[in-house]
Amino acid sequence: AQKITQTQPGMFVQEKEAVTLDCTYDTSDQSYGLFWYKQPSSGEMIFLIYQGSYDEQNATEGRYSLNFQKARKSANLVISASQLGDSAMYFCAMSSSNTGKLIFGQGTTLQVKP
Amino acid sequence: DVKVTQSSRYLVKRTGEKVFLECVQDMDHENMFWYRQDPGLGLRLIYFSYDVKMKEKGDIPEGYSVSREKKERFSLILESASTNQTSMYLCASSLGQFPVRGYTFGSGTRLTVV
């Protein structure tokens, strides 16, 4: 069965520091996609970054980078130079080529301290 | 930009009522998804569809059904609403399974069943 696990229910980070949000996944698919979303208190789901299973380079989007370790089945999100506006819930998600599903982890609440 | 519109932001329904949640996307996406979001559980997939009149069960389909008569519209139906279906419901769409710009989400419908 496919599964996404986010083991950190809540995280704190000081403004301007970097933070890593953990995500591990379980799948028997060879082809899959990994996504990170941000959900602020307003409730909207904001796409941050995408990593394909065959991509050799780690994905980067501005201050966001995805630390993709395929053998360990991990896809951690790194946010550099945290800002107060980064305080939100963060979700890791995976899409499967076999099932067509997009499944999510439980989420991590990040709070950025001034 | 792709837009996914959910017809209601807030809904209050009585136990036993038949409830329709509507989702419309405007960019010809073939894939559409319905999730419910509950604290500590993340987003859980209810149903998804990869084409008109096609539907697939997600991880928690019990108590729900769906309809996709037109490509742009994906409806979630609660045949007989119960209090344990009180939740935030999110609709998403995508072009393909591995969209590099992510899946697009609606703003959500917060359903309360009393």
Side-chain angles (χ1 to χ4, degrees):
Chain A
Q2 295 170 321
K3 192 176 179 181
I4 293 273
T5 302
Q6 295 179 252
T7 57
Q8 306 154 313
M11 292 276 289
F12 288 92
V13 65
Q14 207 68 37
E15 194 179 8
K16 299 181 185 177
E17 290 185 352
V19 63
T20 298
L21 305 183
D22 294 342
C23 173
T24 57
Y25 60 91
D26 190 15
T27 182
S28 57
D29 291 351
Q30 295 301 309
S31 180
Y32 51 89
L34 296 159
F35 303 82
W36 276 93
Y37 280 84
K38 173 184 177 182
Q39 188 181 47
S41 56
S42 59
E44 61 185 310
M45 292 288 283
I46 301 168
F47 166 75
L48 296 178
I49 197 165
Y50 165 79
Q51 178 84 42
S53 59
Y54 292 115
D55 295 340
E56 295 185 355
Q57 304 271 359
N58 285 343
T60 60
E61 288 278 358
R63 294 186 298 111
Y64 304 108
S65 60
L66 198 152
N67 184 359
F68 181 45
Q69 298 190 39
K70 195 170 182 177
R72 297 179 62 184
K73 293 189 175 177
S74 75
N76 298 339
L77 177 72
V78 180
I79 305 175
S80 63
S82 297
Q83 301 172 356
L84 295 178
D86 293 335
S87 293
M89 177 81 83
Y90 289 81
F91 290 101
C92 180
M94 176 174 67
S95 60
S96 161
S97 60
N98 281 343
T99 67
K101 290 182 179 181
L102 175 70
I103 61 169
F104 284 79
Q106 308 94 315
T108 297
T109 301
L110 176 67
Q111 291 192 45
V112 180
K113 294 182 174 180
Chain B
D1 279 353
V2 178
K3 196 167 182 182
V4 176
T5 303
Q6 294 184 232
S7 53
S8 304
R9 184 78 171 128
Y10 298 96
L11 271 181
V12 180
K13 296 292 182 181
R14 294 195 180 276
T15 301
E17 274 193 77
K18 190 168 186 176
V19 181
F20 293 85
L21 301 183
E22 305 288 345
C23 176
V24 177
Q25 50 92 6
D26 66 359
M27 278 298 287
D28 207 33
H29 284 179
E30 69 264 21
N31 299 322
M32 296 188 76
F33 302 79
W34 273 108
Y35 295 89
R36 62 177 286 176
Q37 182 178 4
D38 301 288
L41 297 178
L43 279 72
R44 292 180 293 166
L45 181 62
I46 305 171
Y47 268 96
F48 63 106
S49 168
Y50 50 87
D51 205 348
V52 176
K53 298 193 186 293
M54 305 300 288
K55 60 184 179 183
E56 296 283 343
K57 291 181 179 179
D59 297 322
I60 53 162
E62 298 77 19
Y64 303 94
S65 63
V66 290
S67 172
R68 193 160 181 205
E69 296 297 318
K70 293 185 178 181
K71 193 173 186 178
E72 66 270 19
R73 185 180 296 270
F74 192 35
S75 303
L76 181 68
I77 304 157
L78 287 66
E79 295 289 342
S80 178
S82 64
T83 55
N84 63 14
Q85 293 177 310
T86 292
S87 187
M88 170 69 89
Y89 289 86
L90 288 162
C91 175
S93 74
S94 77
L95 185 68
Q97 282 183 317
F98 307 130
V100 296
R101 301 317 301 169
Y103 291 67
T104 305
F105 281 81
S107 53
T109 296
R110 186 164 293 281
L111 173 67
T112 302
V113 183
V114 298

